[in-house]
Amino acid sequence: DHARFGFSLETHRSTAAGQSFTCADCHAADSFAFDDTQCESCHREYQPAFVDEHVAVWGADCRSCHDGTATTGSAFDHARTAFALTGAHVRVACRACHQDAATARTVAQPPTECIGCHRADDTHRGSMGEDCAACHGTSTWEDAQFDHTFPLTHGSRTASECAVCHQDAPRSYERYTCYGCHEHSPAGIAREHRDERISAAEMADCVRCHPTGREHESNRRGERRR
């Protein structure tokens, strides 16, 4: 059982010429030792362009990723890349993310943002933006943990409807406004903040200075929250 030695012969039944492999095709006849450069030299005979590119991107230590069971074997440590596999991603087939991978370089360049693979899974249809990880983990879609830092009961004992502040809802929740509630209006807010040298952009982003909605608090540098 060749797999006992860390390399299955599952994908090495026949040579590129269609002949059955013999031990001597890979091993030294006198000792059965294996030279790690053998993988590269053998594959280079019939796919030189691919091997050149593959080695340039991934290096020549083929068995650090391949164990003979598939194109990429269980020996490959995905944590060595910029995208470690956690949660449900561990069980996902390589092709699910590397869909268009035909060369070594395209294998190394899959989407790294959630939406790159999960746009079709987005039940919000883009209304919550594209930062899925802001609410969802990698185990299941149902474990959403959304931290709405601004109190949803602001001005009321019960939570306000989303559309009270997010006037684009349910189409989008990315923008919000405080104008239209209480005495708020652009002109009124400008008058109240006239002496505070606050820009028009800052006045439109009320939560930046008033994260809990209290009138006299401030998150601006140099000011004390009361």
Side-chain angles (χ1 to χ4, degrees), residues 42-89:
C42 182
H43 282 269
R44 191 179 295 280
E45 291 179 9
Y46 69 97
Q47 47 185 183
F50 174 80
V51 171
D52 285 344
E53 184 181 29
H54 199 78
V55 170
V57 174
W58 301 103
D61 186 9
C62 305
R63 290 195 297 159
S64 67
C65 298
H66 300 281
D67 62 7
T69 58
T71 303
T72 302
S74 58
F76 180 67
D77 180 8
H78 212 283
R80 293 167 50 202
T81 72
F83 193 90
L85 298 182
T86 60
H89 290 158

Side-chain angles (χ1 to χ4, degrees), residues 1-19:
D1 180 6
H2 205 281
R4 291 172 54 199
F5 301 101
F7 193 87
S8 170
L9 297 182
E10 180 181 328
T11 57
H12 287 74
R13 300 295 186 185
S14 301
T15 66
Q19 303 296 317

Side-chain angles (χ1 to χ4, degrees), residues 75-135:
F76 180 67
D77 180 8
H78 212 283
R80 293 167 50 202
T81 72
F83 193 90
L85 298 182
T86 60
H89 290 158
V90 174
R91 302 185 297 274
V92 174
C94 304
R95 278 286 179 185
C97 297
H98 302 270
Q99 295 176 9
D100 301 318
T103 67
R105 292 194 185 280
T106 54
V107 167
Q109 297 172 348
T112 56
E113 299 297 328
C114 308
I115 203 69
C117 291
H118 294 290
R119 190 176 298 279
D121 303 323
D122 181 14
T123 59
H124 312 296
R125 298 296 182 262
S127 64
M128 294 293 189
E130 296 189 347
D131 185 11
C132 308
C135 301

Side-chain angles (χ1 to χ4, degrees), residues 9-45:
L9 297 182
E10 180 181 328
T11 57
H12 287 74
R13 300 295 186 185
S14 301
T15 66
Q19 303 296 317
S20 295
F21 269 103
T22 66
C23 301
D25 286 325
C26 300
H27 296 281
D30 56 342
S31 66
F32 281 90
F34 179 77
D35 185 347
D36 284 326
T37 63
Q38 185 75 7
C39 302
E40 180 184 344
S41 60
C42 182
H43 282 269
R44 191 179 295 280
E45 291 179 9

